[in-house]
Amino acid sequence: MLEVADFTKKYGKTLAVDGIGFTVPDGNVGILLGPNGAGKSTVIKSIAGLLRYKGLIRIQGQDSRTLEAKRHFAYVPELPYMYDALTVREHIEFITRAYGVEIPESEISGLLARFELADKQDKLGNELSKGMMQKVSICCALVIKPQVILLDEPMVGLDPAAIKELKAVLLELRERGCTILISTHMLEMVKELWDVTFVMDKGHILGTYPREMLGNEDLEELYFSVTGQSGAGEDGK
Ligand code: ATP
């Protein structure tokens, strides 16, 4: 479970997120939706421990800043970061050692194969395309078998096969009771996945929408009706 309460983040004098709160229960997929600058990445990066903030964030009941909480969660950043001098395989080994988990060789190979990285295992970080880096980043997050996973715009830059695989993996994680939080603008990509959507704008949560509340309305309609954006140019065309 992921719990965020009284969460506020300022960058200098800029108030990026203003006292928000939300919960994603075990086995649920939460979606952070909102226009550019709404505060989505700020929330995700803060949960991941990359930013200082005011408020309370709990992962599996533990303060997110504790080592115990960090053991349970994985983070896929918006922009993948690779170590130039490590191969794809070594990135995976680095992560498993850092988390102190022993993952059978066959599982690592299986994961790399799912994301069509089996033949890229010996490539160095700086020899990969952007999409390949994104896939390595996703594999690094998945290999530790997290109980909570945060993904910031995970589908950007992925090819259709990788998007399909990522969706399948996320559904499997949900089935296993994992808590998933995704920030995305690609509404079509998450339409089969989500359980609860939090619509953000200007640092506030405008509404929390469990799937059962939505009826026949889809995420796109919800997004436009809640944010007041029209989805068309200024002249309405
Ligand atoms: P996008 O959809 O464009 O990725 P977002 O919803 O993720 O946007 P954030 O990146 O969280 O939005 O930004 C929220 C607010 O915080 C914006 O007003 C942004 O200008 C500001 N902001 C973000 N990062 C910084 C920073 N490092 N320094 C100062 N202000 C920042």
Side-chain angles (χ1 to χ4, degrees):
M1 170 172 317
L2 171 66
E3 299 158 275
V4 175
D6 300 323
F7 174 86
T8 294
K9 170 65 190 172
K10 281 184 176 176
Y11 296 99
K13 289 188 180 162
T14 307
L15 180 58
V17 181
D18 186 12
I20 68 161
F22 64 90
T23 299
V24 186
D26 291 345
N28 275 237
V29 178
I31 304 289
L32 282 178
L33 266 191
N36 296 132
K40 307 176 299 294
S41 292
T42 298
V43 172
I44 294 221
K45 282 185 196 156
S46 300
I47 299 170
L50 301 178
L51 299 174
R52 290 174 194 275
Y53 58 87
K54 282 193 182 158
L56 187 71
I57 300 176
R58 286 184 187 276
I59 290 170
Q60 303 300 86
Q62 314 271 351
D63 187 311
S64 68
R65 288 174 267 218
T66 62
L67 196 57
E68 197 45 45
K70 289 181 202 287
R71 281 204 181 97
H72 294 303
F73 83 84
Y75 164 56
V76 179
E78 191 173 5
L79 299 172
Y81 178 83
M82 295 289 108
Y83 296 102
D84 287 352
L86 294 186
T87 65
V88 168
R89 190 72 178 199
E90 286 165 348
H91 276 85
I92 305 278
E93 280 173 23
F94 177 73
I95 292 294
T96 55
R97 284 192 202 176
Y99 276 80
V101 289
E102 298 247 346
I103 306 294
E105 182 63 28
S106 57
E107 268 187 45
I108 296 177
S109 302
L111 185 59
L112 291 173
R114 281 189 87 165
F115 286 93
E116 296 182 334
L117 291 169
D119 59 342
K120 311 282 183 309
Q121 303 194 38
D122 298 323
K123 275 193 181 281
L124 291 169
N126 62 9
E127 294 172 339
L128 301 174
S129 72
K130 186 171 165 290
M132 287 174 199
M133 288 186 198
Q134 182 70 353
K135 294 197 278 191
V136 175
S137 181
I138 290 168
C139 288
C140 285
L142 294 173
V143 76
I144 62 147
K145 300 192 179 139
Q147 289 173 12
V148 175
I149 184 165
L150 315 167
L151 304 106
D152 198 352
E153 287 291 358
M155 279 124 181
V156 173
L158 294 185
D159 61 33
I163 290 177
K164 190 167 168 225
E165 207 52 52
L166 178 60
K167 286 201 253 184
V169 167
L170 291 175
L171 285 170
E172 288 163 24
L173 287 177
R174 181 171 72 167
E175 199 61 30
R176 289 212 310 258
C178 182
T179 303
I180 301 168
L181 182 66
I182 306 174
S183 160
T184 188
H185 295 117
M186 299 171 80
L187 307 184
E188 192 59 25
M189 304 290 174
V190 292
K191 71 176 183 191
E192 315 98 335
L193 288 177
W194 68 281
D195 296 296
V196 56
T197 292
F198 310 102
V199 182
M200 289 190 74
D201 194 15
K202 300 188 179 78
H204 295 98
I205 291 187
L206 302 182
T208 294
Y209 302 92
R211 186 187 270 274
E212 58 273 14
M213 197 200 231
L214 227 61
N216 291 329
E217 198 179 15
D218 67 17
L219 273 184
E220 192 173 60
E221 287 169 292
L222 175 77
Y223 176 85
F224 289 127
S225 69
V226 176
T227 61
Q229 290 191 323
S230 69
E234 276 181 19
D235 57 0
K237 285 178 195 161

CSV table of all heavy atoms in Angstrom, one decimal, residues 194-218:
chain,number,residue,atom,x,y,z
A,194,TRP,N,-6.1,0.5,-15.1
A,194,TRP,CA,-6.2,1.4,-13.9
A,194,TRP,C,-7.3,1.0,-13.0
A,194,TRP,O,-8.4,0.4,-13.4
A,194,TRP,CB,-6.3,2.8,-14.3
A,194,TRP,CG,-7.6,3.2,-15.0
A,194,TRP,CD1,-7.9,3.0,-16.2
A,194,TRP,CD2,-8.7,3.8,-14.4
A,194,TRP,NE1,-9.2,3.4,-16.5
A,194,TRP,CE2,-9.7,3.9,-15.3
A,194,TRP,CE3,-9.0,4.2,-13.1
A,194,TRP,CZ2,-10.9,4.5,-15.1
A,194,TRP,CZ3,-10.3,4.8,-12.8
A,194,TRP,CH2,-11.2,4.9,-13.8
A,195,ASP,N,-7.1,1.2,-11.7
A,195,ASP,CA,-8.2,1.0,-10.7
A,195,ASP,C,-8.7,2.3,-10.1
A,195,ASP,O,-9.8,2.5,-9.7
A,195,ASP,CB,-7.7,0.1,-9.5
A,195,ASP,CG,-7.3,-1.2,-10.0
A,195,ASP,OD1,-8.2,-2.0,-10.5
A,195,ASP,OD2,-6.1,-1.6,-10.0
A,196,VAL,N,-7.7,3.3,-9.9
A,196,VAL,CA,-8.1,4.6,-9.4
A,196,VAL,C,-7.3,5.7,-10.0
A,196,VAL,O,-6.1,5.5,-10.2
A,196,VAL,CB,-8.0,4.6,-7.8
A,196,VAL,CG1,-6.6,4.2,-7.4
A,196,VAL,CG2,-8.4,5.9,-7.2
A,197,THR,N,-8.0,6.8,-10.4
A,197,THR,CA,-7.3,7.9,-11.1
A,197,THR,C,-7.3,9.1,-10.2
A,197,THR,O,-8.4,9.4,-9.6
A,197,THR,CB,-7.9,8.1,-12.4
A,197,THR,OG1,-7.6,7.0,-13.3
A,197,THR,CG2,-7.4,9.4,-13.1
A,198,PHE,N,-6.2,9.8,-10.1
A,198,PHE,CA,-6.1,11.0,-9.3
A,198,PHE,C,-5.9,12.1,-10.4
A,198,PHE,O,-4.8,12.1,-11.1
A,198,PHE,CB,-5.0,11.0,-8.3
A,198,PHE,CG,-5.0,9.8,-7.5
A,198,PHE,CD1,-4.2,8.7,-7.7
A,198,PHE,CD2,-5.9,9.7,-6.4
A,198,PHE,CE1,-4.2,7.6,-6.9
A,198,PHE,CE2,-6.0,8.5,-5.6
A,198,PHE,CZ,-5.1,7.5,-5.9
A,199,VAL,N,-6.8,13.1,-10.5
A,199,VAL,CA,-6.6,14.1,-11.5
A,199,VAL,C,-6.0,15.3,-10.8
A,199,VAL,O,-6.6,15.8,-9.8
A,199,VAL,CB,-7.9,14.5,-12.2
A,199,VAL,CG1,-7.7,15.6,-13.2
A,199,VAL,CG2,-8.6,13.3,-12.9
A,200,MET,N,-4.8,15.7,-11.3
A,200,MET,CA,-4.1,16.8,-10.6
A,200,MET,C,-4.1,18.1,-11.6
A,200,MET,O,-4.1,17.9,-12.8
A,200,MET,CB,-2.6,16.5,-10.4
A,200,MET,CG,-2.4,15.5,-9.3
A,200,MET,SD,-0.6,15.4,-9.0
A,200,MET,CE,-0.3,16.9,-8.1
A,201,ASP,N,-4.1,19.2,-11.0
A,201,ASP,CA,-3.8,20.5,-11.7
A,201,ASP,C,-3.2,21.5,-10.8
A,201,ASP,O,-3.7,21.6,-9.6
A,201,ASP,CB,-5.1,21.0,-12.4
A,201,ASP,CG,-4.8,22.0,-13.5
A,201,ASP,OD1,-3.6,22.1,-13.8
A,201,ASP,OD2,-5.7,22.7,-13.9
A,202,LYS,N,-2.2,22.2,-11.2
A,202,LYS,CA,-1.6,23.3,-10.4
A,202,LYS,C,-1.4,22.9,-9.0
A,202,LYS,O,-1.7,23.6,-8.0
A,202,LYS,CB,-2.5,24.5,-10.4
A,202,LYS,CG,-2.8,25.1,-11.9
A,202,LYS,CD,-3.5,26.4,-11.8
A,202,LYS,CE,-3.8,27.0,-13.2
A,202,LYS,NZ,-4.9,26.3,-13.9
A,203,GLY,N,-0.8,21.7,-8.8
A,203,GLY,CA,-0.4,21.3,-7.5
A,203,GLY,C,-1.5,20.8,-6.6
A,203,GLY,O,-1.2,20.5,-5.4
A,204,HIS,N,-2.7,20.6,-7.1
A,204,HIS,CA,-3.8,20.1,-6.3
A,204,HIS,C,-4.4,18.8,-6.9
A,204,HIS,O,-4.3,18.7,-8.1
A,204,HIS,CB,-5.0,21.1,-6.2
A,204,HIS,CG,-4.6,22.3,-5.4
A,204,HIS,ND1,-4.2,23.5,-6.1
A,204,HIS,CD2,-4.4,22.6,-4.1
A,204,HIS,CE1,-3.9,24.4,-5.2
A,204,HIS,NE2,-4.0,23.9,-4.0
A,205,ILE,N,-5.0,18.0,-6.1
A,205,ILE,CA,-5.8,16.9,-6.6
A,205,ILE,C,-7.2,17.4,-6.8
A,205,ILE,O,-7.9,17.7,-5.8
A,205,ILE,CB,-5.7,15.6,-5.7
A,205,ILE,CG1,-4.3,15.1,-5.8
A,205,ILE,CG2,-6.7,14.6,-6.2
A,205,ILE,CD1,-4.1,13.7,-5.1
A,206,LEU,N,-7.7,17.5,-8.1
A,206,LEU,CA,-9.0,18.0,-8.3
A,206,LEU,C,-10.1,16.9,-8.0
A,206,LEU,O,-11.2,17.2,-7.7
A,206,LEU,CB,-9.2,18.4,-9.8
A,206,LEU,CG,-8.2,19.5,-10.3
A,206,LEU,CD1,-8.4,19.9,-11.7
A,206,LEU,CD2,-8.2,20.7,-9.4
A,207,GLY,N,-9.7,15.7,-8.1
A,207,GLY,CA,-10.7,14.6,-7.9
A,207,GLY,C,-10.0,13.2,-7.8
A,207,GLY,O,-9.0,13.0,-8.5
A,208,THR,N,-10.6,12.3,-7.1
A,208,THR,CA,-10.1,10.9,-7.0
A,208,THR,C,-11.3,10.1,-7.6
A,208,THR,O,-12.4,10.2,-7.1
A,208,THR,CB,-9.8,10.6,-5.5
A,208,THR,OG1,-8.7,11.4,-5.1
A,208,THR,CG2,-9.5,9.1,-5.4
A,209,TYR,N,-10.9,9.2,-8.5
A,209,TYR,CA,-12.0,8.5,-9.3
A,209,TYR,C,-11.7,7.0,-9.3
A,209,TYR,O,-10.9,6.6,-10.1
A,209,TYR,CB,-12.1,9.1,-10.7
A,209,TYR,CG,-12.4,10.6,-10.7
A,209,TYR,CD1,-11.4,11.5,-10.8
A,209,TYR,CD2,-13.7,11.0,-10.6
A,209,TYR,CE1,-11.6,12.8,-10.7
A,209,TYR,CE2,-14.0,12.4,-10.5
A,209,TYR,CZ,-12.9,13.3,-10.6
A,209,TYR,OH,-13.1,14.6,-10.5
A,210,PRO,N,-12.3,6.2,-8.4
A,210,PRO,CA,-12.2,4.8,-8.6
A,210,PRO,C,-12.9,4.3,-9.9
A,210,PRO,O,-13.9,5.0,-10.3
A,210,PRO,CB,-13.0,4.2,-7.4
A,210,PRO,CG,-13.2,5.4,-6.5
A,210,PRO,CD,-13.2,6.6,-7.3
A,211,ARG,N,-12.4,3.3,-10.5
A,211,ARG,CA,-12.9,2.9,-11.8
A,211,ARG,C,-14.5,2.6,-11.7
A,211,ARG,O,-15.2,3.1,-12.6
A,211,ARG,CB,-12.3,1.6,-12.2
A,211,ARG,CG,-12.7,1.1,-13.6
A,211,ARG,CD,-12.1,-0.2,-14.0
A,211,ARG,NE,-10.8,-0.2,-14.6
A,211,ARG,CZ,-10.6,0.0,-15.9
A,211,ARG,NH1,-11.6,0.1,-16.7
A,211,ARG,NH2,-9.3,0.0,-16.4
A,212,GLU,N,-14.9,2.0,-10.6
A,212,GLU,CA,-16.4,1.7,-10.6
A,212,GLU,C,-17.2,3.0,-10.6
A,212,GLU,O,-18.4,2.9,-10.9
A,212,GLU,CB,-16.7,0.8,-9.4
A,212,GLU,CG,-16.3,1.3,-8.0
A,212,GLU,CD,-14.9,1.0,-7.6
A,212,GLU,OE1,-14.1,0.6,-8.5
A,212,GLU,OE2,-14.5,1.1,-6.4
A,213,MET,N,-16.6,4.1,-10.2
A,213,MET,CA,-17.4,5.4,-10.1
A,213,MET,C,-17.6,5.9,-11.5
A,213,MET,O,-18.5,6.8,-11.7
A,213,MET,CB,-16.6,6.4,-9.3
A,213,MET,CG,-17.3,7.6,-8.8
A,213,MET,SD,-16.0,8.8,-8.5
A,213,MET,CE,-16.5,9.2,-6.9
A,214,LEU,N,-16.8,5.5,-12.5
A,214,LEU,CA,-16.8,6.2,-13.8
A,214,LEU,C,-17.9,5.8,-14.8
A,214,LEU,O,-18.2,6.5,-15.7
A,214,LEU,CB,-15.4,6.0,-14.4
A,214,LEU,CG,-14.8,7.2,-15.0
A,214,LEU,CD1,-14.6,8.2,-13.9
A,214,LEU,CD2,-13.5,6.9,-15.7
A,215,GLY,N,-18.5,4.6,-14.6
A,215,GLY,CA,-19.5,4.1,-15.5
A,215,GLY,C,-19.0,4.0,-16.9
A,215,GLY,O,-17.9,3.4,-17.1
A,216,ASN,N,-19.7,4.6,-17.8
A,216,ASN,CA,-19.3,4.5,-19.2
A,216,ASN,C,-18.3,5.5,-19.7
A,216,ASN,O,-17.7,5.5,-20.8
A,216,ASN,CB,-20.5,4.6,-20.1
A,216,ASN,CG,-21.4,3.4,-20.0
A,216,ASN,OD1,-20.9,2.3,-19.7
A,216,ASN,ND2,-22.7,3.5,-20.1
A,217,GLU,N,-18.0,6.5,-18.8
A,217,GLU,CA,-17.1,7.6,-19.1
A,217,GLU,C,-15.7,7.0,-19.2
A,217,GLU,O,-15.3,6.2,-18.4
A,217,GLU,CB,-17.2,8.7,-18.0
A,217,GLU,CG,-16.6,10.0,-18.5
A,217,GLU,CD,-16.7,11.0,-17.4
A,217,GLU,OE1,-17.0,10.6,-16.2
A,217,GLU,OE2,-16.5,12.2,-17.6
A,218,ASP,N,-14.9,7.4,-20.2
A,218,ASP,CA,-13.5,6.9,-20.3
A,218,ASP,C,-12.6,8.0,-19.7
A,218,ASP,O,-13.0,9.1,-19.3
A,218,ASP,CB,-13.1,6.4,-21.7
A,218,ASP,CG,-13.0,7.6,-22.7
A,218,ASP,OD1,-13.0,8.8,-22.2
A,218,ASP,OD2,-13.0,7.3,-23.9
